[in-house]
Amino acid sequence: MLLNITKASTQFALGAAVVLMASLVHGQALRDPTLPAGQMMDSAEKSQQSSLVLSSIIKGSENYAVINNHILKVGERIEGLKLVHIGHKDVTFSDGRKLTLFQVITE
């Protein structure tokens, strides 16, 4: 009988420890290893910075920008943002944010 009580209380303690550890891990913010020491970004900053990628700009009679694999022209929207300007190397959204093309390095 004593063995069964000890075994049950050990299982209960292990279960409680797992639940406690899971809740602690879930509440912690993970540090971005690419940031300098001591700096952390909140999830809103991360999503704003990483959610839009400008792949290319197509100039012609009408200008187009390829953003997140979608071909857009001025006035169209992506992820709730209205594209207001397409330049030679960048685009501007209605909230003032800009995306810039990366410079290609060739030998």
Side-chain angles (χ1 to χ4, degrees):
M1 176 85 173
L2 182 60
L3 180 60
N4 288 339
I5 294 173
T6 306
K7 187 175 181 181
S9 62
T10 303
Q11 289 175 344
F12 177 76
L14 285 174
V18 168
V19 170
L20 179 62
M21 290 168 74
S23 65
L24 290 175
V25 170
H26 180 69
Q28 285 181 328
L30 298 177
R31 186 185 166 294
D32 182 350
T34 63
L35 288 175
Q39 285 188 331
M40 290 188 70
M41 296 171 67
D42 66 9
S43 60
E45 287 177 314
K46 286 181 197 173
S47 66
Q48 286 180 353
Q49 288 187 351
S50 63
S51 64
L52 297 174
V53 176
L54 176 61
S55 302
S56 64
I57 293 175
I58 303 155
K59 300 294 245 175
S61 59
E62 195 162 3
N63 299 330
Y64 295 92
V66 180
I67 302 170
N68 291 7
N69 295 326
H70 296 282
I71 301 171
L72 304 169
K73 59 185 179 181
V74 171
E76 293 183 329
R77 293 181 175 271
I78 186 165
E79 294 188 19
L81 296 170
K82 185 177 179 180
L83 184 62
V84 294
H85 174 74
I86 300 175
H88 290 286
K89 296 181 181 179
D90 60 17
V91 298
T92 307
F93 293 99
S94 56
D95 68 349
R97 266 193 277 175
K98 285 189 173 189
L99 294 177
T100 305
L101 285 171
F102 285 104
Q103 184 177 10
V104 177
I105 299 173
T106 59
E107 295 182 299

